[in-house]
Amino acid sequence: MEKKNIDWAKLGFGYTKTDSRWQAEWKDGEWQEGGLIEDAEFHLPESACVFHYSQSCFEGLKAYTTKQGDIVTFRPDLNAERMANTCRRLAMPAYPQDEFVRAVVETVRANAAWVPPYGTGCSLYIRPVMIGSGPQIGVAPAPSYMFRVFVMPVGAYFKGAVKPLKLRVSEYDRAAPHGTGHIKAGLNYAMSLYATMEAHEEGYAENVYLDPATRTYIEETGGANIIFVDADNTVVVPKSPSILPSITRRSLVYVAEHYLGLKVVERQVALDELKGFKECALCGTAAVLAPVGQIDTKDGPIQFPSGMEKMGEISARLRETLTGIQMGEIEAPEGWIVKIA
Ligand code: PLP
Ligand code: COI
């Protein structure tokens, strides 16, 4: 199969229209049989619930070409499970989890020519999305839904990929206490857009959000979880009910403990403690593992000893091991890698 003619070295993180997408509709109280389509548009009534009451959610995962030349994806069962949890909280009908994995596999297979080759540093980003598509003017869940999976080749989410980022602690919150921070609802991202634009204008790559109830503990950024490394090389992972349970972060915790023999602690992390950490990194499907060199707070900047020039040693080992597993260079734990073609 001939690959698309793309300059992989210049590819950023953005939309490219690829050949096929998976679509399924929920109507008359059940999911109808899904399948591949070519139309990249949604055709919706002006009264569609998504336009008014933001009934929308999404997922993000990637497909890779391995060293062996296979096309694989990474832990799609966990995205299926998380989307089902998200749907429950948004009063949307969960897409059956085995059908979700099938939709991902079929969509990637149909777009195999778009999967970046091994060694390019690029991957195929997979975006499952669900919307309340039926008419709804009284405030209530939609009477019908669309589930779609589409894909696009992407490069690094943060320019420079492994160059340490500068972040700021945000004065805005992305989630409410007992709200929707732990699910992948579109509304969480709408909440973060103003703060993100402001952060970018001020020269920051991202915002760090604090716990919305007390504003004293570290939560995560708008599109990635945060991890720290302390002076004893223990990986410290912030714990909070309003953080999105990142699949990358959960995988890194396993890698730290089982591949690198590191201690991992999941606990609340106070803003006051930041000065004591020697490394900090963002992690997520899009971000992979991106080092953080500095976080600005209202009491001044905090610079991590790993600095602004290179990634800290533990962060680098975590990143290399995880990407090695995804690219077929390092043996994966049972069930993590799903072969597509
Ligand atoms: N946190 C937020 C708010 C996100 O949007 C994402 C991206 O999906 C993550 C964390 C990372 O999650 P994952 O590793 O499952 O992609
Ligand atoms: C992902 O990492 O897949 C996400 O959904 C994050 C988004 C901000 C691109």
Side-chain angles (χ1 to χ4, degrees):
M1 172 249 327
E2 204 176 316
K3 292 285 177 188
K4 299 287 170 185
N5 185 17
I6 292 170
D7 185 350
W8 304 112
K10 292 214 178 87
L11 190 65
F13 189 91
Y15 181 69
T16 300
K17 184 170 149 189
T18 55
D19 301 331
S20 302
R21 60 276 302 131
W22 181 275
Q23 178 155 291
E25 189 178 5
W26 191 89
K27 62 177 184 188
D28 306 326
E30 60 185 356
W31 283 105
Q32 311 295 309
E33 179 67 18
L36 292 170
I37 59 168
E38 286 183 8
D39 186 356
E41 311 293 316
F42 275 125
H43 302 273
L44 296 172
E46 61 194 9
S47 54
C49 190
V50 63
F51 296 139
H52 306 271
Y53 308 127
S54 298
Q55 214 184 8
S56 83
C57 63
F58 70 99
E59 271 301 327
L61 64 164
K62 282 175 171 172
Y64 311 86
T65 305
T66 64
K67 193 177 174 188
Q68 296 76 20
D70 297 327
I71 294 176
V72 301
T73 189
F74 185 72
R75 310 190 80 180
D77 51 323
L78 297 189
N79 295 91
E81 183 186 43
R82 189 170 64 189
M83 194 174 210
N85 291 336
T86 298
C87 286
R88 266 188 287 280
R89 179 65 177 77
L90 296 177
M92 299 171 87
Y95 197 60
Q97 294 181 38
D98 50 348
E99 278 293 291
F100 176 105
V101 174
R102 179 173 158 229
V104 164
V105 167
E106 295 288 328
T107 312
V108 172
R109 193 175 284 141
N111 293 289
W114 295 93
V115 184
Y118 174 73
T120 53
C122 299
S123 53
L124 191 78
Y125 187 66
I126 307 166
R127 175 51 66 86
V129 59
M130 194 191 295
I131 54 169
S133 52
Q136 193 60 53
I137 291 302
V139 180
S144 55
Y145 296 83
M146 291 286 194
F147 170 77
R148 189 177 280 202
V149 178
F150 62 101
V151 298
M152 70 220 79
V154 296
Y157 187 69
F158 293 110
K159 278 197 211 85
V162 291
K163 199 151 162 40
L165 304 170
K166 190 168 92 166
L167 313 181
R168 68 164 194 186
V169 171
S170 177
E171 290 297 311
Y172 307 98
D173 295 326
R174 74 174 269 283
H178 314 291
T180 56
H182 62 299
I183 60 165
K184 216 160 161 55
L187 61 92
N188 292 340
Y189 300 82
M191 291 279 285
S192 73
L193 295 177
Y194 181 81
T196 303
M197 295 318 291
E198 202 183 74
H200 287 174
E201 275 160 27
E202 292 175 18
Y204 299 100
E206 256 285 13
N207 286 297
V208 176
Y209 295 100
L210 299 177
D211 78 288
T214 71
R215 312 203 90 250
T216 48
Y217 295 102
I218 299 290
E219 296 251 295
E220 60 172 326
T221 66
N225 280 182
I226 306 184
I227 58 172
F228 300 96
V229 178
D230 75 9
D232 300 326
N233 285 348
T234 296
V235 177
V236 179
V237 177
K239 194 172 179 176
S240 154
S242 44
I243 290 178
L244 188 78
S246 157
I247 294 161
T248 312
R249 186 252 296 161
R250 286 182 268 163
S251 304
L252 286 168
V253 164
Y254 188 92
V255 163
E257 287 176 332
H258 295 89
Y259 283 67
L260 303 179
L262 297 169
K263 197 169 157 215
V264 179
V265 181
E266 290 192 46
R267 60 167 175 83
Q268 285 188 313
V269 175
L271 176 58
D272 288 348
E273 283 181 74
L274 288 192
K275 304 179 227 22
F277 293 123
K278 68 177 195 190
E279 294 180 34
C280 173
L282 301 187
C283 58
T285 298
V288 191
L289 183 144
V292 176
Q294 179 172 329
I295 301 180
D296 285 5
T297 73
K298 63 177 170 22
D299 300 323
I302 291 163
Q303 277 155 341
F304 296 100
S306 52
M308 290 305 288
E309 284 312 312
K310 59 176 185 30
M311 189 178 291
E313 184 207 327
I314 301 291
S315 302
R317 288 172 65 201
L318 284 168
R319 186 183 158 108
E320 273 160 28
T321 312
L322 181 69
T323 55
I325 289 170
Q326 290 165 334
M327 306 293 170
E329 295 156 358
I330 297 173
E331 192 170 342
E334 180 79 30
W336 279 24
I337 301 293
V338 173
K339 190 174 160 183
I340 292 177

